[in-house]
């Protein structure tokens, strides 16, 4: 027997859990203004997430998918992308979306059950949230194919969870991207859980990044709680894609510190010790520690940031709560250019119920 092929998976981390910067770090690690910009957004996302869960608990928001613990991955990806690139998210990548211009109020409007929240004022060509697991892989690969055919120097960035990598669409997406050498980056957010399924039961692979090898494309692991490493690795993959050298799969190692969604109670299946241990590695603390150690951040700035986040969130909540309700017709719009017979029938039924409901409330 002879060895016909060998592969390896590299792992990247610059900022460790104690807030120490490993050398040699990329130039972006020394750009304090940029680090602070990312820290500010990570803090906003954290505060927003808490508020969104509270709104759901008090009956003012529908089921919501928290992003607690994912802030560095999400903000790092956003910061590495160009505005003209296209994002295909799953359902909790708010940090990337906010970096790209999606509004806090749009996020609330969607998770409050109103599809108009997906009609982002900016960025117009990003995809809406994708609830059917892994189907966004095909959108991401398809968009990258369109960019290639048109000769546009743009890339698609597609998110997927650890659980999502067990789906057929994951392999179909990376296979097409590899075969056609597409300008696509796939970010696998390995937060160790797919609802109640731990990563150990999900797959026998040592890393999720190595799944890329089957598609003939590079796979790399990154510390998903280190915003510097995430931004660096994603930026390198995007540069590569823009140079025409094809796609990359990036596995970001992080942890879902929250329940799966507000409809879940993770304490029923997840050991408390594991969660406590994961809090020691969480992404905001290490960046704040680093900024403080280097004299770039102090208590006054932290207090001001907290007040600023609270103000922005309060304004977004006001906007969300005062938004006029959509008509029942709205959910049937933008599905097909020409609605199907079934949809038209359902629209009629919905109109009937809406009228009955409206009449009940008449004085
Ligand atoms: C095709 C499909 N199957 C099942 C579900 C139900 N479901 C919703 S989230 C989820 C787990 C996803 O886990 P993962 O991909 O790790 O993403 P995470 O929620 O951890 O970010 C499942 C099975 C779904 N939405 N779509
Ligand atoms: Mg997961």
């Amino acid at each position: 027997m002879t060895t016909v092929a060998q592969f390896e998976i590299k792992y990247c981390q610059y900022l460790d859990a104690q807030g120490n910067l490993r050398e040699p770090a990329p130039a972006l690690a020394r750009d304090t203004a940029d680090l602070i910009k990312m820290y500010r957004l990570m803090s906003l996302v954290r505060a927003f997430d808490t508020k969104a869960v509270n709104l759901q608990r008090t009956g003012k928001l529908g089921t919501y998918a928290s992003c607690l613990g994912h802030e560095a991955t999400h903000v790092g990806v956003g910061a590495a992308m160009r505005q003209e690139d296209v994002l295909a998210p799953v359902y909790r990548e708010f940090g990337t979306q906010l970096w790209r211009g999606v509004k806090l109020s749009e996020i609330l409007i969607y998770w409050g059950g109103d599809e108009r929240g997906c009609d982002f004022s900016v960025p117009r060509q990003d995809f809406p949230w994708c609830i059917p697991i892994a189907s966004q892989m095909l959108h991401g690969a398809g968009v990258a194919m369109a960019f290639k055919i048109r000769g546009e120097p743009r890339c698609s960035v597609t998110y997927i969870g650890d659980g999502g990598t067990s789906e057929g669409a994951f392999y179909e997406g990376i296979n097409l991207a590899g075969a056609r050498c597409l300008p696509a980056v796939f970010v696998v957010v390995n937060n160790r859980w797919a609802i109640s399924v731990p990563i150990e039961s999900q797959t026998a692979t040592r890393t999720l990044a190595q799944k890329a090898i089957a598609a003939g494309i590079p796979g790399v692991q990154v510390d998903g709680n280190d915003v510097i490493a995430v931004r660096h690795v994603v930026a390198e993959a995007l540069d590569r894609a823009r140079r025409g050298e094809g796609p990359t799969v990036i596995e970001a190692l992080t942890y879902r510190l929250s329940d799966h969604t507000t409809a879940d109670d993770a304490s029923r299946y997840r050991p408390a010790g594991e969660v406590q241990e994961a809090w020691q590695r969480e992404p905001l603390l290490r960046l704040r520690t680093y900024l403080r150690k280097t004299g770039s951040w102090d208590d006054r700035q932290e207090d001001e940031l907290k007040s600023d986040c609270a103000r922005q969130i309060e304004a977004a909540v006001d906007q969300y709560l005062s938004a006029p309700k959509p008509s029942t017709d709205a959910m049937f719009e933008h599905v097909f250019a020409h609605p199907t017979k079934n949809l038209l029938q359902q629209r009629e039924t919905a109109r009937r119920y809406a009228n009955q409901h409206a009449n009940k409330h008449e004085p």
Side-chain angles (χ1 to χ4, degrees):
M1 292 273 256
T2 52
T3 304
V4 290
Q6 270 184 321
F7 308 97
E8 62 180 10
I9 297 297
K10 292 240 161 62
Y11 169 78
C12 179
Q13 183 204 52
Y14 293 113
L15 195 59
D16 70 18
Q18 287 70 44
N20 298 314
L21 190 63
R22 290 185 179 194
E23 298 295 339
L28 79 96
R30 304 285 172 210
D31 186 334
T32 308
D34 235 18
L35 291 184
I36 290 179
K37 190 175 170 198
M38 293 193 288
Y39 176 69
R40 292 182 71 88
L41 185 59
M42 286 163 67
S43 303
L44 177 67
V45 174
R46 175 74 57 97
F48 170 78
D49 197 69
T50 307
K51 182 69 184 179
V53 172
N54 289 344
L55 285 172
Q56 190 279 336
R57 298 290 186 239
T58 50
K60 293 188 181 127
L61 195 68
T63 299
Y64 168 78
S66 164
C67 61
L68 188 63
H70 302 75
E71 297 88 349
T73 296
H74 296 165
V75 171
V77 170
M81 290 176 71
R82 288 194 192 162
Q83 198 58 34
E84 66 268 26
D85 294 335
V86 161
L87 179 74
V90 193
Y91 38 67
R92 56 170 114 248
E93 294 79 20
F94 309 123
T96 315
Q97 295 178 306
L98 291 168
W99 187 281
R100 294 181 57 67
V102 171
K103 294 184 184 149
L104 292 172
S105 56
E106 289 171 332
I107 300 174
L108 291 172
I109 287 170
Y110 172 75
W111 293 90
D114 182 344
E115 298 283 340
R116 290 176 303 180
C118 293
D119 189 13
F120 311 132
S121 45
V122 181
R124 295 297 297 157
Q125 294 195 321
D126 279 7
F127 282 84
W129 291 281
C130 191
I131 309 295
I133 299 298
S135 51
Q136 74 280 1
M137 289 293 295
L138 308 174
H139 307 153
V143 162
M145 186 133 99
F147 291 157
K148 182 158 183 173
I149 291 168
R150 293 178 188 162
E152 294 176 0
R154 304 166 71 189
C155 303
S156 67
V157 174
T158 308
Y159 272 110
I160 186 145
D162 42 282
T165 66
S166 301
E167 289 273 357
F170 171 74
Y171 296 98
E172 290 161 21
I174 59 173
N175 186 66
L176 179 73
R180 301 290 170 95
C181 196
L182 300 180
V185 174
F186 302 99
V187 181
V188 177
V189 182
N190 181 356
N191 61 11
R192 296 196 48 82
W193 290 88
I195 315 185
S196 56
V197 179
I199 187 73
E200 294 77 16
S201 311
Q202 186 69 244
T203 176
T205 54
R206 171 109 176 262
T207 72
L208 297 176
Q210 75 201 57
K211 294 191 176 193
I213 289 163
I217 66 181
V220 59
Q221 255 191 355
V222 63
D223 181 344
N225 291 343
D226 170 3
V227 73
I228 298 169
V230 172
R231 179 166 168 176
H232 176 70
V233 167
V234 176
E236 283 210 320
L238 285 168
D239 282 349
R240 210 179 144 262
R242 246 182 276 279
R243 286 196 304 268
E245 293 169 30
T248 306
V249 171
I250 297 166
E251 176 187 5
L253 296 168
T254 184
Y255 191 82
R256 196 193 79 207
L257 290 166
S258 60
D259 294 331
H260 170 68
T261 65
T262 50
D264 174 46
D265 174 6
S267 70
R268 294 177 62 158
Y269 54 79
R270 208 165 58 163
E274 180 183 303
V275 184
Q276 274 159 17
E277 197 266 324
W279 270 105
Q280 310 305 311
R281 289 179 279 112
E282 72 99 354
L284 260 85
L285 179 63
R286 72 176 68 181
L287 183 54
R288 185 164 58 239
T289 307
Y290 175 70
L291 289 172
R292 279 182 192 276
K293 272 192 214 168
T294 51
S296 319
W297 196 251
D298 59 24
D299 288 347
R300 188 187 51 82
Q301 284 164 299
E302 183 68 22
D303 289 345
E304 277 174 15
L305 173 60
K306 286 219 164 75
S307 315
D308 182 49
C309 291
R311 265 195 307 275
Q312 288 189 56
I313 292 164
E314 207 178 314
V317 171
D318 284 349
Q319 219 178 328
Y320 158 60
L321 292 176
S322 61
K325 288 219 176 326
S327 69
T328 44
D329 279 7
M331 66 180 133
F332 299 100
E333 287 160 10
H334 315 296
V335 181
F336 296 104
H338 305 288
T340 60
K341 201 169 145 224
N342 280 352
L343 268 187
L344 290 173
Q345 276 168 358
Q346 288 170 28
R347 190 174 71 183
E348 276 317 303
T349 311
R351 280 179 182 168
R352 220 171 33 248
Y353 277 107
N355 288 338
Q356 278 170 12
H357 187 70
N359 293 342
K360 260 193 209 147
H361 290 279
E362 275 176 7

